[in-house]
Amino acid sequence: GDNVSLFQRTYTMTLDSNYLNSIEITPLMDTLRLQKISDAEYFSSKFGGYISNSRLSLINPSQDNDPDAFFEGLSKHNKYSDALIFGSAVHELILQPELFELALSVDRPTAKMGFMADELYKSYLDGSLCDDVVIKASDKIGYYKDKMNADRINAVISTCTPYWECRKRYEDSTSKDITPIYLDAKSIERVQECVRALKENSTIQKLLNPEGLLVDPISENEQAILLDVRVKVPNYDEFTLRIKAKLDNYTIDSETNTVTVNDVKTIGKIVSEFSGNFERFHYHRELALYSWLMTLVAKKFYNMDSCKVLSNCLVVSTIPKYYTKVYRLSRADFRKGWDEFKMLLRLVAHYYSKGYRFE
């Protein structure tokens, strides 16, 4: 549609597509790794020089279009958003219920104040809470940045103290093996409804827990894939780029030679509007990338050649009545996503050849 032609016009105006297409990218199969990596490690500086799907949105001419931001990395562009925390909570409780639980008795402040409360919690515990610490947190989170005064500092401390006290009591009395999820009371209720709705949708449950005729398919949640690719840009020395991805769920069915990638998506609207989100957030690229990586995994670790690839968004609306649906990617979605991914990776290679470096 129009999006594609506009999208192509935008980047071909800046760079000749023949030149971009001449950039060769080859996956280095001996570097391919499939492993469980915690979120804290995955998003840490250890993997800071890796290219993720979300990072690619920063360099995309039809999204953020900011090469500087791309090479700086996402950590400097973290958005403090309640929607992000909410979506993460639904993911964690559906995909890793053995590792996470909702802290039902703790009421976290909402909006930026909630992020201030979390940022300052350690200082509250170790007794280092002071005006300077609160001001530093406000700068980091963007809560009245450069506008903090005595009244606002007092307001932060008086609003957050009940949460800190309650959270400390909770942490003192709960198992250290399970990570608590802290939300405000209303969000706790909505997360519970989303989780219930996803669990009650039998199609979604069959996709996450598939059965085979004789052997059940492998089904794994929250696994990371790491891969180096060799890059050749015309008139420039060969170099390596590194890709990382963390998949919500994948299944490998050796009986039918099929790999399926499933991704849980929350939407703050009715589910019938999901196709708009699918376009807006470029989910076609995300799932085409994940699916491609899974075909490499299937080949290397499971000796599955030319396997069939399927992908689904498992969608839940975060508003009553919390309806769910399965959005199956079409061949056109895959093709569009794959073309976009290749174009953006070549764009990264181009900027790298011009002296840009990962921070």
Side-chain angles (χ1 to χ4, degrees), residues 295-314:
T295 61
L296 301 183
V297 163
K299 190 176 169 68
K300 179 171 177 175
F301 300 114
Y302 298 97
N303 299 318
M304 286 166 64
D305 256 329
S306 323
C307 54
K308 184 179 175 188
V309 185
L310 303 172
S311 187
N312 307 290
C313 294
L314 315 179

Side-chain angles (χ1 to χ4, degrees), residues 279-303:
E279 286 291 318
R280 183 174 151 216
F281 297 117
H282 295 248
Y283 291 150
H284 51 274
R285 182 186 73 232
E286 177 190 20
L287 292 165
L289 165 59
Y290 293 176
S291 300
W292 172 65
L293 289 171
M294 276 310 301
T295 61
L296 301 183
V297 163
K299 190 176 169 68
K300 179 171 177 175
F301 300 114
Y302 298 97
N303 299 318

Side-chain angles (χ1 to χ4, degrees), residues 244-347:
K244 69 173 184 177
K246 198 165 187 194
L247 280 60
D248 283 359
N249 168 271
Y250 68 79
T251 60
I252 292 180
D253 187 342
S254 54
E255 288 183 336
T256 60
N257 200 39
T258 305
V259 169
T260 306
V261 173
N262 296 306
D263 206 87
V264 176
K265 298 290 186 198
T266 50
I267 179 170
K269 308 172 191 165
I270 52 174
V271 288
S272 57
E273 291 188 37
F274 179 72
S275 55
N277 273 28
F278 188 85
E279 286 291 318
R280 183 174 151 216
F281 297 117
H282 295 248
Y283 291 150
H284 51 274
R285 182 186 73 232
E286 177 190 20
L287 292 165
L289 165 59
Y290 293 176
S291 300
W292 172 65
L293 289 171
M294 276 310 301
T295 61
L296 301 183
V297 163
K299 190 176 169 68
K300 179 171 177 175
F301 300 114
Y302 298 97
N303 299 318
M304 286 166 64
D305 256 329
S306 323
C307 54
K308 184 179 175 188
V309 185
L310 303 172
S311 187
N312 307 290
C313 294
L314 315 179
V315 187
V316 59
S317 167
T318 64
I319 56 173
K321 309 179 165 138
Y322 306 97
Y323 285 123
T324 55
K325 74 177 275 186
V326 174
Y327 178 99
R328 290 192 167 82
L329 269 75
S330 66
R331 188 165 282 195
D333 289 331
F334 276 120
R335 195 163 42 242
K336 182 178 173 186
W338 177 239
D339 288 346
E340 186 176 308
F341 166 66
K342 284 190 299 184
M343 188 274 285
L344 295 182
L345 201 54
R346 285 171 169 147
L347 210 47

Side-chain angles (χ1 to χ4, degrees), residues 193-211:
E193 287 294 334
C194 289
V195 170
R196 175 197 57 72
L198 286 165
K199 283 183 174 170
E200 285 177 2
N201 182 320
S202 59
T203 311
I204 287 174
Q205 289 309 308
K206 276 181 189 145
L207 285 167
L208 292 173
N209 309 290
E211 292 178 355

